[in-house]
């Protein structure tokens, strides 16, 4: 398997759980600080398309920026292009951890999904 790129935020408990899980499985990954180096709009488009998820699933709905921007009500009226622009503009808006390798992408940390995708 190609190396995993893990977009993480060091103050995020879910990211720490994911790192611990990857380390315990002996899975190597390249850590990218999602707030300092968020994925580009084109990268996000690719990750979203290969994930098979609704683009709204890429938003960190529990984040402060999400609440401040009132996205709960605004997302339903936004185009995919607008959502991608918004996600690319602020790493804190992206649900994490975001793990990517080859044609695989996972968003968030669910152990059973991690087992299925990354082991």
């Amino acid at each position: 398997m190609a190396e995993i790129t893990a977009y993480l935020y060091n103050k995020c408990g879910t990211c720490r759980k994911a790192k611990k899980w990857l380390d315990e499985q002996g899975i190597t990954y390249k850590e990218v600080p999602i707030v300092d180096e968020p994925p580009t709009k084109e990268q996000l488009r690719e990750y979203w398309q290969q994930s098979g998820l609704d683009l709204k699933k890429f938003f960190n709905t529990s984040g402060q920026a999400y609440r401040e921007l009132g996205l709960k009500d605004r997302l339903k009226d936004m185009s995919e292009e607008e959502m991608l622009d918004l996600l690319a503009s602020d790493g804190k808006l992206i649900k994490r951890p975001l793990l990517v390798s080859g044609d695989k992408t996972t968003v968030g940390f669910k152990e059973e999904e991690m087992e299925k995708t990354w082991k």
Side-chain angles (χ1 to χ4, degrees), residues 82-99:
E82 290 170 315
M83 286 189 226
L84 288 165
D85 282 334
L86 199 54
L87 287 166
S89 73
D90 184 351
K92 286 191 176 175
L93 285 173
I94 302 169
K95 185 172 177 117
R96 49 195 187 254
L98 173 59
L99 304 180

Side-chain angles (χ1 to χ4, degrees), residues 67-84:
R67 289 193 300 273
E68 285 170 2
L69 292 169
L71 292 177
K72 182 174 176 242
D73 301 319
R74 289 178 49 210
L75 281 182
K76 64 182 178 297
D77 300 320
M78 292 174 91
S79 70
E80 290 168 354
E81 291 304 308
E82 290 170 315
M83 286 189 226
L84 288 165

Side-chain angles (χ1 to χ4, degrees), residues 16-74:
R16 287 194 294 270
K17 276 190 218 159
K19 276 176 69 166
K20 183 174 187 259
W21 185 87
L22 289 165
D23 292 340
E24 285 171 353
Q25 308 305 315
I27 297 170
T28 58
Y29 55 94
K30 181 179 112 192
E31 191 172 333
V32 178
I34 198 164
V35 176
D36 302 327
E37 299 172 40
T40 65
K41 180 179 178 180
E42 288 314 310
Q43 286 173 307
L44 285 162
R45 183 190 315 278
E46 183 185 326
Y47 302 160
W48 159 55
Q49 288 171 339
Q50 67 194 25
S51 75
L53 296 169
D54 183 327
L55 186 53
K56 293 180 184 85
K57 297 275 189 223
F58 275 73
F59 282 87
N60 173 14
T61 56
S62 56
Q64 197 174 345
Y66 183 88
R67 289 193 300 273
E68 285 170 2
L69 292 169
L71 292 177
K72 182 174 176 242
D73 301 319
R74 289 178 49 210

